[in-house]
Each structure stands twice: as C-alpha cells, then as structure tokens.
Amino acid sequence: MKLKVRVKLGNKLFFKKKKIGILGGTFDPPHKGHLEISKQAKKKFKLTYIIWAITKKNPFKKKSSLSLKERIKFSKKIIKSSKFIKIKFYESKIKSNRTIDLINHIKKNNMLDVYFIMGADNLINFHKWHKWKSISQKCNILVFDRQGYKAKSLKSITFKRLNQKSLEFIKFKKVNISSSQLREI
C-alpha cells in the first residue's frame, strides 16, 4: 500500500500525508459496531484505511473468552468486503500491548497522520492508560458516542484536560451492541 500521496502545484511536487485510523482492542468478539464506527470515521475524516489493532489482552479487562486466533478470524469475517480495514496484531513485533508503543511504531513513518478511534466508554478511563497525554499529542483522538456513556465520558478527566483540537466527540446513529453483551449471549 502506498503511503505517500503526490500533489503537484504549478511546477512543484509535494507529498501529502495519508490519514489512517487505528481502532485498537481485544475485539472479543468483533461486531457490527466496530465496523460501523470504522465506516463513519473513514467517511467523516477521509481516512485512507483503518487498522483494527487486535490485542492479546486488555489490561483493564479479564481474560478474553475467545483466543487471539479466533478473534482475528472473526474480525476478518466481519469486515468481508470492507477493503479499507486491515486486521493486524502488533504485540509480538513491538513487544508491547500499550497504545503509545503502537502509535510510536506506526508514526515511524512520518508520512502518516494518525487518528485513534475509540468508543465513549473508553474515554472515561483513558486517563489511566500508559502515557495517555502523549497519545493525544501524537495523534487525533476520535471518540464515538455509545449508548449510555455520553454524559459520563463528557465529564471524564480526559475530556476536561485534553486539548479539544486533538480530541473529537462524534455523535452518530449508534449500533446498540457491545462485545460484553455478545459474550453474555
């Protein structure tokens, strides 16, 4: 995949950064809500592609009910014809499951403008993430509203403290489903 976009203005040739999204998580299991926010982010922010960065284990949650291999397989199945989504597992490559380490790894390519995508439920405890302020300085954070989390996330430490230029709260037609609900079925 090409990472540079050439733009010619008059006799000069410029390289424009590609805008990519990262949706990280355990995807335990992946569902149509993940797909919908990916589609919305791509459309609204004109992202070239989105990486679903699947983690082996979320440090804030209990053990996953599905194996990593199963979650990757199901993620690939859910995205079907959505060619703009890439399923990736970075942890063995970067030797970390921390978001800041993933962002730093991806930002090694300075021709990428990174948009980190999350649900409003994650914003509530985002201030507990390792180097959370650095994440907001290195990429744009797109927070998608989730059923029952809007008020709490807008009152969160993160929302109050971060520069609103690097964090955008997105209202959209919600898909009323979560991985937690699916695990209970």
Side-chain angles (χ1 to χ4, degrees):
M1 181 172 286
K2 290 183 181 179
L3 296 177
K4 296 178 184 176
V5 176
R6 288 192 260 188
V7 178
K8 191 170 184 176
L9 292 173
N11 292 332
K12 296 192 180 196
L13 187 63
F14 297 91
F15 290 97
K16 185 178 169 185
K17 288 186 174 187
K18 279 203 174 189
K19 294 169 30 171
I20 68 158
I22 299 172
L23 178 60
T26 53
F27 294 86
D28 185 29
H31 54 76
K32 62 184 178 181
H34 295 125
L35 184 59
E36 189 56 35
I37 65 173
S38 297
K39 287 178 179 178
Q40 294 292 325
K42 181 183 186 325
K43 182 179 176 182
K44 183 171 174 114
F45 296 93
K46 297 176 176 43
L47 304 178
T48 305
Y49 62 94
I50 295 176
I51 298 168
W52 282 12
I54 300 177
T55 186
K56 200 179 280 187
K57 184 182 180 322
N58 180 326
F60 298 105
K61 294 181 180 176
K62 294 177 183 174
K63 187 177 184 241
S64 298
S65 59
L66 298 172
S67 72
L68 175 65
K69 191 175 182 177
E70 289 172 311
R71 289 181 280 133
I72 290 171
K73 178 182 149 192
F74 292 145
S75 293
K76 287 179 179 178
K77 195 173 185 179
I78 261 194
I79 65 167
K80 293 178 194 160
S81 62
S82 300
K83 303 282 185 221
F84 68 93
I85 299 174
K86 311 294 177 204
I87 309 295
K88 300 280 186 181
F89 175 70
Y90 286 98
E91 289 174 25
S92 46
K93 187 175 191 171
I94 65 173
K95 307 290 186 237
S96 173
N97 70 344
R98 293 181 167 159
T99 301
I100 189 63
D101 296 330
L102 173 62
I103 301 292
N104 287 335
H105 174 76
I106 290 172
K107 294 275 298 178
K108 283 181 184 175
N109 179 335
N110 63 3
M111 291 308 295
L112 295 176
D113 194 8
V114 178
Y115 290 72
F116 187 73
I117 304 164
M118 69 167 71
D121 56 321
N122 283 308
L123 187 63
I124 296 164
N125 290 311
F126 189 70
H127 66 283
K128 295 178 182 178
W129 292 24
H130 182 71
K131 296 188 178 181
W132 64 280
K133 287 182 182 174
S134 293
I135 295 169
S136 71
Q137 293 165 353
K138 293 179 182 254
C139 60
N140 301 292
I141 300 175
L142 307 179
V143 181
F144 280 82
D145 193 6
R146 284 201 52 197
Q147 192 75 29
Y149 290 99
K150 183 176 183 176
K152 210 170 182 182
S153 63
L154 293 176
K155 291 177 185 174
S156 71
I157 291 169
T158 308
F159 191 79
K160 289 177 182 176
R161 290 193 186 163
L162 282 187
N163 176 345
Q164 299 307 305
K165 290 179 186 171
S166 65
L167 185 147
E168 186 163 345
F169 196 87
I170 295 125
K171 298 173 194 162
F172 80 114
K173 186 177 178 190
K174 295 169 216 54
V175 177
N176 196 13
I177 191 81
S178 73
S179 294
S180 302
Q181 291 170 324
L182 289 172
R183 284 192 300 273
E184 290 172 7
I185 296 173

